[in-house]
Amino acid sequence: MGILEKISEIEKEIARTQKNKATEYHLGLLKAKLAKYRAQLLEPSKSASSKGEGFDVMKSGDARVALIGFPSVGKSTFLSLMTSTASEAASYEFTTLTCIPGVIEYKGANIQLLDLPGIIEGAAQGKGRGRQVIAVARTADVVIMMLDATKGEVQRSLLEKELESVGIRLNKHKPNIYFKVYNKIDQISMEEVDRLARKPNSVVISCGMKLNLDYLLEMLWEYLALTCIYTKKRGQRPDFTDAIILRKGASVEHVCHRIHRSLASQFKYALVWGTSTKYSPQRVGLTHTMEHEDVIQIVKK
Ligand SMILES: Nc1nc2c(ncn2[C@@H]2O[C@H](COP(=O)(O)OP(=O)(O)OP(=O)(O)O)[C@@H](O)[C@H]2O)c(=O)[nH]1
Ligand SMILES: [K+]
Ligand SMILES: [Mg+2]
């Protein structure tokens, strides 16, 4: 019997086994067996044909965020909750075997969220699909390191060690910015939640009970440091339906390039309304730094 058949047999048996106290132990064994076979599917294959399979997801939207964590911490549950994409979630490990993209729409920006297979110790050395997962993480603007709040600190330090050993360093600079998300806080005490929430660069959530997800999005937005700029034509209202999304610190020149390649060369001055100026509107030049939700009107020569 091949691995896929074995997996399918076990899945069928799990499905037809009633869940109760008497079957708990048996179900636990079945899930462990299932995880073992699924982990084998993740092992780097000898044949070149399956190399990188399913991991080449096109970059899209204004920013890319990757979900990294050990198996069954809730990565797929999170993706399905935050985007319109459904990624299979289940109570056994290695449910996800490829990279699954979804889109979070937030403050006018399209943020690409990537669900990935769980990584295991030794991922950095290529265990499981470790190399591919880490390669995807490197292409992300922000990495969300998801942890199981019930699993204690061992998990966090293992994961940090794993990521740092391949040079993904904690909050040094893009593209290696990451923050930690402790999921399943519905399973731990309030004191423990409080302790985790106070850790640096950490957010606590429960996908199961939809707790603190708004705050997580706010944090993500902050880490991404994106800026939305609205344009306005002379004598007209600003177009609030179509924001130009830029990195934090972007200048008027960046805005020009986004509108049209040749606009900067025809630029005379711009009028800006918003927090980046002392007066609204204020006349500014190409080097002026824009801030989130500024409105700009460009005057050509
Ligand atoms: N109690 C609780 N369970 C959760 C929560 N989020 C997810 N789960 C459960 O955790 C289990 C694993 O969830 P998945 O989304 O499959 O986890 P994953 O990290 O994608 O797992 P792999 O793809 O196998 O690495 C499922 O049984 C989920 O229902 C939560 O906030 N609270
Ligand atoms: K799982
Ligand atoms: Mg998954």
Side-chain angles (χ1 to χ4, degrees), residues 71-77 90 94-96 183-184 186-187 206-208:
S72 272
V73 295
K75 301 178 293 296
S76 303
T77 308
F94 307 110
T95 307
T96 308
N183 185 29
K184 309 192 187 182
D186 51 291
Q187 301 285 314
S206 162
C207 290

Side-chain angles (χ1 to χ4, degrees), residues 6-299:
K6 285 181 190 158
I7 286 176
S8 145
E9 286 298 309
I10 299 170
E11 279 175 344
K12 275 188 220 146
E13 191 173 343
I14 290 177
R16 65 169 178 260
T17 307
Q18 254 192 21
K19 233 179 120 180
N20 57 43
K21 265 267 168 283
T23 59
E24 207 173 87
Y25 181 71
H26 181 59
L27 274 172
L29 283 182
L30 286 175
K31 282 178 186 170
K33 233 164 135 187
L34 189 54
K36 195 186 90 190
Y37 288 131
R38 296 190 71 89
Q40 283 176 19
L41 288 182
L42 279 174
E43 278 309 315
S45 128
K46 304 282 176 294
S47 66
S49 63
S50 61
K51 230 179 174 178
E53 201 183 327
F55 277 59
D56 307 318
V57 170
M58 276 261 285
K59 258 198 172 180
S60 77
D62 301 299
R64 171 178 264 198
V65 177
L67 281 168
I68 295 234
F70 288 118
S72 272
V73 295
K75 301 178 293 296
S76 303
T77 308
F78 181 74
L79 182 101
S80 301
L81 202 57
M82 307 303 277
T83 73
S84 56
T85 303
S87 184
E88 196 189 342
S91 57
Y92 52 82
E93 302 190 333
F94 307 110
T95 307
T96 308
L97 298 174
T98 61
C99 176
I100 317 260
V103 178
I104 298 177
E105 285 166 37
Y106 189 68
K107 297 197 181 187
N110 288 322
I111 301 162
Q112 184 179 48
L113 182 68
L114 301 179
D115 182 20
L116 287 159
I119 65 166
I120 46 183
E121 251 194 290
Q125 281 76 49
K127 260 196 118 181
R129 290 274 161 94
R131 283 226 172 83
Q132 283 139 298
V133 170
I134 287 161
V136 172
R138 283 186 189 287
T139 67
D141 297 291
V142 165
V143 170
I144 295 182
M145 192 168 128
M146 191 173 269
L147 295 153
D148 186 327
T150 67
K151 291 280 163 73
E153 287 305 300
V154 183
Q155 223 192 20
R156 181 189 54 80
S157 53
L158 275 177
L159 191 56
E160 265 179 11
K161 216 174 69 198
E162 208 62 59
L163 294 182
E164 297 209 339
S165 77
V166 288
I168 296 186
R169 298 207 144 259
L170 189 59
N171 293 334
K172 292 293 150 64
H173 51 76
K174 197 205 164 261
N176 298 330
I177 293 172
Y178 63 76
F179 67 98
K180 282 155 269 175
V181 171
Y182 291 90
N183 185 29
K184 309 192 187 182
I185 55 164
D186 51 291
Q187 301 285 314
I188 59 173
S189 69
M190 277 307 289
E191 290 73 29
E192 185 64 2
V193 171
D194 192 56
R195 196 182 65 78
L196 293 176
R198 283 169 199 278
K199 291 184 152 293
N201 306 307
S202 300
V203 177
V204 296
I205 62 166
S206 162
C207 290
M209 296 188 73
K210 299 197 174 119
L211 295 174
N212 219 22
L213 298 173
D214 288 349
Y215 179 69
L216 169 55
L217 279 181
E218 275 173 42
M219 291 304 288
L220 179 59
W221 184 255
E222 235 172 75
Y223 278 89
L224 283 171
L226 296 174
T227 303
C228 299
I229 308 295
Y230 303 103
T231 55
K232 146 181 180 12
K233 292 203 171 88
R234 194 177 154 195
Q236 289 182 18
R237 286 163 168 273
D239 181 4
F240 287 119
T241 61
D242 192 16
I244 294 176
I245 313 267
L246 298 164
R247 309 269 169 212
K248 199 177 210 158
S251 66
V252 171
E253 191 168 5
H254 288 114
V255 177
C256 288
H257 284 303
R258 242 343 148 73
I259 299 170
H260 194 273
R261 222 183 318 155
S262 65
L263 187 54
S265 61
Q266 301 165 291
F267 179 89
K268 194 170 168 196
Y269 65 88
L271 294 173
V272 171
W273 291 253
T275 55
S276 73
T277 58
K278 204 163 167 192
Y279 313 103
S280 279
Q282 188 172 313
R283 206 173 144 146
V284 300
L286 279 175
T287 58
H288 176 76
T289 303
M290 303 297 293
E291 279 179 15
H292 184 52
E293 294 184 331
D294 278 354
V295 171
I296 187 167
Q297 178 189 326
I298 291 163
V299 180

